[in-house]
Amino acid sequence: MSATTRRPVVIIGAGPVGVTAALLLARYGVRSLLLERHPDVYPLPRAVVVDDEVRRILQSAGVHEEFAAIARPAPGLRLLDARRRVISEFPRSMHGLHGFPQLSMFNQPELERLLRGALARRPECELWSGVEVVSVTESDTPNTDTPDDPAGPVRVTFRRGGSDEEEHLWADAVLGCDGAGSLTRDAIGAAWEDLHFQESWRVIDVRTSRPVRTWEGAEQICCPTRPATFMRISEDRYRWEFRLADDQNLEGPDGWERLRELVAPWVDLPASRSDDFEVVRQAQYTFQARLADRWRRGRVFLLGDAAHLTPPFVGQGLCSGLRDANNLTWKLARVLQQGAPEELLDTYERERKPHARHVIRVAVAVGWAMTGGQDRCAAFRRAVVGTVCRIPGVTEAASRDLSPALAAGPLVRRRPRLAGRALAGTFCPQPWIRHDGRRVRLDDVVRDAFVVLTAVPATAQMTAVTTALGAPTIHVGDLDDDGTLAAWLARGRADAVLLRPDRVVMDTVPAGSGHFPDPTAWASLLHTARPTTDARSVSLPRSTAP
């Protein structure tokens, strides 16, 4: 591929994060090429949990209906003591803020296959399997396609199908979705920050028709000698995770008996191996808490496990990677397609890194509550956890804050002492609405554009903002929802909000003010050197779409 031709975004790694990033870029018309070293989808289960925010991302990627067919909503998480008595329960709604169940179980190979199917239907996306990336090298040469663009192309060197012959291509941007052992992370000179959690656990995935004693949600057994996690994934699939000593092997002639002992609280197994209890996979994992010290250099970015590793105790590993893709892709599209300044890309790490750190710390806290360590203070710590979780409102707050608002920054205008500041950095709810005589979700109408949602007649300043962004202005009264959006704006003391393409509130019109207080604060980042693309303005009665 010549350096003087238009180059795609190259995505290294075609797991769920890489493929979702490609599908999100395709919605903006950005072409991408995925390079994957494996010849096909990895067939064994790994991630098993997503939340409602991530299901909304899958909606943006165009696969939420297919995902609903393979997902099992679950009622929440319980912390149990060693005798399986409930210490605390963290309930999850079947209809969360984002319009989906707050906790869904699934089988990762099934998700990957439906993502690959969607990828094959998008002409903007291309997948090369059996390709090993050897190096990623940034160029100091300016982009010859757009001389006023200071970002030079990135050279990706790879080998096909086990060949020793090296090939090269050039990319406008490279997304490193290549996992914990990321070559891309090394290429940008990033190092791990240790967040101080490392334990060896055995993960066991099972398919069985035997009766299993379960409350249908996830269970975390808080025990310093044998902590465990259990959950039902689907009709006949289950997962157990145990922290085991190195000499507690489940292989060999005594392996079945040890497995029987481990799962006895949930299912009764015969003394000899049984065909109706199939161990699909068992693997030893080292659960770690790590964060890359940098997520970007030039036009090379880290996403997913390449940027952060979290213990699985709150089910946020894959979720964090898909949030990375959702945050980065609209910004990258605006830079590549519309000539927005490179500084817009700086907000990716600035927004996502603190968020990922928070999620990892929550997972580590739950991990310590489960294991209690192995010192004399273990029982005391578990008792404190139980007491704190019984305080009214604590479990609800813990559930709500698992994915906190984005911190204030150039694209999140949270101003002190102004009404409406509480909404900035949070997600807009997604209710069901009536559109063209059909009942649909909000995002299916506003799609991937900037949009102003207002509870008052649009002022001249609001219209000027939306015109500059190529965005529609929609009065919430025209959406025919159940009142969710109007109530949300009222609680936030805002007359209107400006939503980013990822549905995060970027700015607000404080109640009674009639205008965004200071749009110049973010206008420079969204300024485009080329005309903005068609915003696909929404056709709604009384809307003020430009």
Side-chain angles (χ1 to χ4, degrees):
M1 181 177 292
S2 168
T4 60
T5 62
R6 182 174 176 83
R7 296 167 296 278
V9 174
V10 169
I11 300 174
I12 303 175
V17 174
V19 176
T20 300
L23 292 172
L24 294 175
L25 286 170
R27 286 171 61 90
Y28 302 103
V30 177
R31 295 183 301 117
S32 64
L33 170 64
L34 293 101
L35 304 180
E36 170 57 50
R37 63 189 179 94
H38 295 293
D40 202 353
V41 169
Y42 186 74
L44 297 179
R46 287 170 290 173
V48 293
V49 176
V50 293
D51 57 24
D52 57 324
E53 180 183 334
V54 167
R55 289 197 63 168
R56 191 174 187 176
I57 296 171
L58 295 177
Q59 177 189 358
S60 295
V63 298
H64 68 289
E65 292 183 356
E66 296 167 277
F67 183 74
I70 65 169
R72 186 186 73 82
L77 165 70
R78 282 178 175 172
L79 300 182
L80 310 178
D81 65 16
R83 296 168 60 183
R84 299 189 70 213
R85 296 174 301 187
V86 176
I87 298 173
S88 184
E89 182 172 324
F90 299 86
R92 295 292 190 268
S93 169
M94 292 295 109
H95 189 83
L97 173 82
H98 298 277
F100 296 97
Q102 288 184 303
L103 183 65
S104 297
M105 306 293 187
F106 70 101
N107 183 33
Q108 182 170 331
E110 293 180 306
L111 170 61
E112 293 202 43
R113 281 191 286 271
L114 68 88
L115 285 170
R116 293 279 185 96
L119 192 76
R121 295 191 293 270
R122 297 299 308 226
E124 303 90 346
C125 306
E126 188 175 0
L127 170 63
W128 293 357
S129 297
V131 171
E132 178 189 6
V133 174
V134 177
S135 66
V136 177
T137 309
E138 295 173 272
S139 171
D140 294 328
T141 305
N143 191 329
T144 55
D145 286 347
T146 52
D148 56 344
D149 184 352
V154 182
R155 189 173 79 163
V156 179
T157 304
F158 62 95
R159 303 189 189 103
R160 300 176 190 259
S163 169
D164 291 333
E165 180 182 356
E166 292 188 352
E167 301 180 58
H168 310 282
L169 58 83
W170 297 92
D172 290 321
V174 171
L175 309 189
C177 306
D178 45 349
S182 171
L183 174 146
T184 315
R185 187 176 59 250
D186 293 339
I188 69 170
W192 282 128
E193 176 189 352
D194 186 359
L195 298 183
H196 308 297
F197 188 94
Q198 181 167 311
E199 292 187 348
S200 182
W201 284 62
R202 177 62 61 97
V203 178
I204 306 167
D205 288 287
V206 166
R207 179 187 289 115
T208 183
S209 58
R210 301 183 73 85
V212 179
R213 294 178 285 274
T214 174
W215 79 292
E216 300 300 325
E219 297 179 352
Q220 309 275 26
I221 311 301
C222 302
C223 173
T225 57
R226 186 172 290 172
T229 299
F230 167 72
M231 63 195 81
R232 181 165 80 88
I233 307 304
S234 63
E235 187 63 31
D236 63 348
R237 286 181 176 266
Y238 302 84
R239 169 170 288 186
W240 282 271
E241 298 171 356
F242 299 97
R243 191 184 68 185
L244 300 178
D246 292 340
D247 60 351
Q248 292 180 292
N249 200 321
L250 300 182
E251 310 291 347
D254 299 326
W256 178 259
E257 184 57 36
R258 293 194 185 98
L259 181 60
R260 284 184 67 212
E261 177 190 356
L262 288 171
V263 303
W266 295 276
V267 59
D268 299 319
L269 298 183
S272 58
R273 294 185 182 272
S274 173
D275 291 339
D276 60 1
F277 192 86
E278 176 193 0
V279 177
V280 176
R281 179 196 70 150
Q282 57 171 312
Q284 197 76 12
Y285 281 93
T286 299
F287 293 164
Q288 299 180 84
R290 291 184 172 185
L291 198 64
D293 62 352
R294 63 187 304 172
W295 292 26
R296 173 199 178 200
R297 190 170 71 188
R299 289 277 187 85
V300 183
F301 303 86
L302 303 181
L303 295 83
D305 285 354
H308 41 73
L309 296 175
T310 180
F313 305 121
V314 292
Q316 289 292 304
L318 177 60
C319 294
S320 291
L322 295 185
R323 289 190 187 103
D324 296 342
N326 197 40
N327 185 286
L328 175 60
T329 49
W330 73 266
K331 300 171 182 176
L332 185 58
R334 197 164 185 91
V335 170
L336 295 180
Q337 288 197 317
Q338 300 172 27
E342 292 288 311
E343 288 77 14
L344 178 60
L345 301 176
D346 292 336
T347 65
Y348 166 60
E349 179 178 341
R350 179 169 179 170
E351 292 183 344
R352 284 295 305 137
K353 189 174 182 180
H355 193 285
R357 185 187 297 275
H358 171 90
V359 170
I360 294 170
R361 284 177 170 166
V362 171
V364 169
V366 172
W368 279 108
M370 288 174 60
T371 66
Q374 299 186 42
D375 56 31
R376 296 176 182 176
C377 297
F380 173 75
R381 278 196 292 270
R382 290 193 304 280
V384 169
V385 169
T387 300
V388 170
C389 288
R390 292 187 185 97
I391 298 173
V394 167
T395 56
E396 291 81 2
S399 300
R400 183 175 62 251
D401 293 338
L402 191 60
S403 179
L406 295 181
L411 298 180
V412 175
R413 306 305 298 166
R414 190 179 295 121
R415 301 174 182 84
R417 299 181 299 278
L418 279 182
R421 65 185 183 275
L423 296 183
T426 68
F427 278 93
C428 172
Q430 181 176 211
W432 289 94
I433 65 174
R434 300 291 301 181
H435 178 64
D436 289 342
R438 296 182 300 119
R439 186 172 180 261
V440 297
R441 290 184 171 92
L442 175 67
D443 291 0
D444 292 332
V445 174
V446 300
R447 295 189 286 182
D448 50 20
F450 283 91
V451 62
V452 170
L453 289 182
T454 179
V456 299
T459 64
Q461 194 246 25
M462 290 186 212
T463 303
V465 166
T466 56
T467 299
L469 291 174
T473 300
I474 303 174
H475 195 288
V476 294
D478 299 337
L479 289 169
D480 194 15
D481 67 345
D482 57 0
T484 294
L485 294 172
W488 171 68
L489 289 171
R491 285 194 305 272
R493 299 174 62 203
D495 282 343
V497 292
L498 174 60
L499 302 183
R500 309 181 336 181
D502 57 6
R503 306 281 70 89
V504 170
V505 176
M506 188 167 85
D507 208 346
T508 59
V509 173
S513 71
H515 63 276
F516 295 101
D518 183 19
T520 59
W522 40 258
S524 62
L525 285 182
L526 301 178
H527 169 73
T528 57
R530 294 183 286 279
T532 58
T533 56
D534 177 18
R536 286 160 285 181
S537 301
V538 182
S539 174
L540 290 168
R542 299 188 301 280
S543 69
T544 58

